[in-house]
Structure formats: structure tokens, C-alpha cells
């Protein structure tokens, strides 16, 4: 079967790393559905960028923390095209706070979105993938999941959880031709890091061996490879895109 023209679904692609991944997958020849939480203008820009490459795009408003919304999104993709063969769990949020003052709401939203979201989509996507005996799943974690981060206990716990989820899915579904890998970006220039204070940027540039923040396109290139036929012998891998920040972990 040709590597081009598969059905891909990227969560959280109205901007940032998700948009770059959606565009990279379109560039690789795939039809790309993607979801977002609220940013309709951003979603339209992503859709236009995919269509500019001559590929089909499907923008879906769906909160990945909501099982029913995820099920509806998959049903729409299947009705429009076919079952999802490539799934990228990129949607993520932060609700930073020191552990002693972190509210249940801060904890629950981050865990339910960043980790629960991936569980919801993988559970739904694997039905079709198992039938097709083919699938590519990539989960976007973070160097914080390996290193820990002060003020981000919720975020780091969710991102570390994605590693266990990925490796379990990789082992469970390997015999069905489905690979599942986790990409762990370091500090990347997006609206998420734009919101960080200036002293964080100074820290990040000093801590990253390559001495700079990365770009969304640099993450997307690695994700697109893991979603390709060429990556058929890579599963359960944690691939850092972090300028060397977490090397050795
Ligand atoms: P971003 O610019 O804040 O974009 C986040 C995207 O996720 C947006 O499209 C947003 O949609 C969507 N989203 C948020 N909550 C959602 C939900 N409940 N359901 C569906 N979509 C949702 O973030 P980013 O920097 O590109 O980060 C993308 C991923 O990379 C995240 O998982 C993040 O944790 C991870 N990461 C980022 C960095 C970094 O330095 N930037 C480093 C390591 C890991 P709306 O626009 O509609 O809200």
C-alpha cells in the first residue's frame, strides 16, 4: 500500500506544534483531519495551509478531554473519508502552580486533557487500525515528563504518563501492525512558551546544549517520520526533540 493518501488525525492543531504537524502530514500526501478546543480563526488558518498543499482538510471542534466529543470527531472523519490510520495526540494545556497551592481543578484539567485525551483517541482509533492491521500513533510528551519541572507537577505527571501509555499500546498492538511512539519536545517557540516569563527564556537558552529554543517545524519533521511507512520498525520509542536538554534520561 502506498504511503501517501492515508487518513490522519491530529489533535490540537489550530496553532503551534499541532499546526506544523498537520501541515507536514499533508506535505507527505495524507488527508488531514484535526481538532481544536476553541480557536476557530486558528483552525481556519491550519485548514487553508493544508489545502494550499492540494490536500483535503477537515477541521473539527472537539475537546479531547470529552469522550463523547472524541467519538463524534472520529465518526465525522469516518463518514467523510475512512477510518483514521495515523493519529497524533498533540493537544495539551498548562495550569502551572506550586504543588502546595495547586487546586484539584488545575490537576484534573491537565491530566484529563494531556493524558486522558490521548487515551480517548487511542481507544477509539485502534478499532479501525486493528481491522486494517496498520496504524501509526504518536503522542506528544515533553522533556518536563522526564526531568520534572517546578510549578508543573500536573503537566509533568501527565507527560510522564504518556510514556507508559505509549509503551503499553506499543506492546499490546505490535502484532496488529500498529506502532506507537512518543516525542518529547524541549522548549519550542509557540504561544505556550510565549506565555512564559522572560527569566524562563534565559534559563532555557542556557540549559539547552544547542543554546536556543526549537521550532514547531523541527518537531513536526520528526513526527512525520514516525508516521511514515519508513518508520515501520520503530515502536515504543521515546524520541526527544529538545536540543539535548534531557539527554541521558
Ligand atoms: P499551543 O500553542 O498552546 O497549542 C495547543 C493546541 O492544543 C491548540 O491548538 C489548542 O486549541 C489545542 N487544545 C488545547 N486544549 C485542547 C482540548 N481540550 N481539546 C482539543 N484541543 C485542545 O501549544 P504548543 O506549544 O503547540 O504545544 C503542543 C503540544 O506540545 C502540547 O501537548 C504541549 O504540551 C507539547 N509541548 C510543547 C512544548 C513547547 O515548548 N511549546 C514543549 C514540550 C511539549 P485551541 O487553540 O482551540 O485552544
Amino acid at each position: 500500500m502506498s504511503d501517501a493518501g492515508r487518513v490522519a488525525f491530529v489533535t490540537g492543531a489550530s496553532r503551534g506544534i499541532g499546526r506544523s504537524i498537520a501541515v507536514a502530514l499533508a506535505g507527505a500526501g495524507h488527508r488531514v483531519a484535526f481538532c481544536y478546543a476553541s480557536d476557530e480563526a486558528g483552525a481556519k488558518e491550519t485548514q487553508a495551509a493544508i489545502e494550499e498543499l492540494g490536500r483535503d482538510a477537515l477541521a473539527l471542534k472537539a475537546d479531547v478531554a470529552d469522550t463523547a466529543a472524541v467519538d463524534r470527531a472520529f465518526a465525522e472523519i469516518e463518514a467523510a473519508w475512512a477510518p483514521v490510520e495515523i493519529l497524533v495526540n498533540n493537544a495539551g494545556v498548562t495550569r502551572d502552580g506550586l504543588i502546595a497551592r495547586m487546586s484539584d481543578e488545575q490537576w484534573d484539567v491537565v491530566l484529563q486533557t494531556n493524558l486522558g485525551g490521548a487515551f480517548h483517541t487511542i481507544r477509539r482509533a485502534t478499532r479501525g487500525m486493528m481491522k486494517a492491521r496498520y496504524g501509526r500513533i504518536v503522542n506528544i510528551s515533553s522533556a518536563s515528563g522526564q526531568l520534572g519541572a517546578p510549578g508543573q507537577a500536573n503537566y509533568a505527571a501527565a507527560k510522564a504518563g504518556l510514556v507508559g501509555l505509549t509503551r503499553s499500546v506499543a506492546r499490546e498492538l505490535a502484532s496488529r501492525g500498529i506502532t506507537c511512539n512518543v516525542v518529547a519536545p524541549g522548549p519550542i517557540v509557540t504561544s505556550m512558551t510565549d506565555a512564559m516569563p522572560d527569566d524562563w527564556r534565559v534559563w532555557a537558552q542556557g540549559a539547552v546544549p544547542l543554546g536556543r529554543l526549537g521550532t514547531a517545524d523541527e518537531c513536526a519533521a520528526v513526527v512525520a517520520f514516525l508516521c511514515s511507512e519508513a518508520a515501520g520498525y520503530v515502536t515504543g520509542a521515546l524520541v526527544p526533540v529538545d536540543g539535548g536538554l534531557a539527554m541521558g534520561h
Side-chain angles (χ1 to χ4, degrees), residues 9 12 15-16 31 38 43 58 81 84 94 105 130 137 146 152-153 183 190 199 207 211 214 222 225 229 244:
F9 180 39
R15 58 174 184 267
R31 290 185 272 186
S38 60
L58 193 56
W81 298 338
V84 169
T94 53
E105 202 261 341
M130 285 194 289
I137 302 170
Q146 297 152 270
Q152 290 199 313
V183 167
T190 68
D199 56 351
V222 172
F225 168 69
E229 292 267 317

Side-chain angles (χ1 to χ4, degrees), residues 14-15 17 37-39 63-64 90 155 159 186 188 190-191 193:
S14 55
R15 58 174 184 267
I17 296 170
S38 60
D39 182 0
D63 176 354
V64 294
N90 166 83
Y155 183 80
K159 293 301 189 181
I188 305 296
T190 68
S191 61
T193 47

Side-chain angles (χ1 to χ4, degrees), residues 63-200:
D63 176 354
V64 294
D66 175 350
T67 307
V70 167
D71 284 348
R72 280 195 300 275
F74 274 84
E76 276 196 54
I77 297 166
E78 286 160 0
W81 298 338
V84 169
E85 298 163 290
I86 296 170
L87 169 66
V88 181
N89 283 305
N90 166 83
V93 292
T94 53
R95 295 285 187 277
D96 295 355
L98 296 173
I99 190 76
R101 279 192 247 132
M102 186 173 284
S103 67
D104 288 351
E105 202 261 341
Q106 280 172 297
W107 176 266
D108 290 344
V109 167
V110 170
L111 267 290
Q112 205 39 26
T113 305
N114 299 11
L115 181 57
F119 163 61
H120 297 149
T121 60
I122 292 170
R123 179 175 58 185
R124 184 59 178 75
T126 48
R127 282 188 214 162
M129 289 179 180
M130 285 194 289
K131 219 182 226 173
R133 303 191 76 79
Y134 183 90
R136 293 279 184 270
I137 302 170
V138 177
N139 297 319
I140 308 299
S141 177
S142 165
S144 306
Q146 297 152 270
L147 299 175
Q152 290 199 313
N154 50 359
Y155 183 80
K159 293 301 189 181
L162 282 174
V163 177
L165 172 67
T166 299
R167 290 177 175 162
S168 301
V169 170
R171 286 188 189 278
E172 195 171 313
L173 299 177
S175 65
R176 310 296 187 104
I178 299 167
T179 66
C180 186
N181 293 290
V182 61
V183 167
I188 305 296
V189 180
T190 68
S191 61
M192 190 178 270
T193 47
D194 287 348
M196 298 295 274
D198 282 343
D199 56 351
W200 175 84

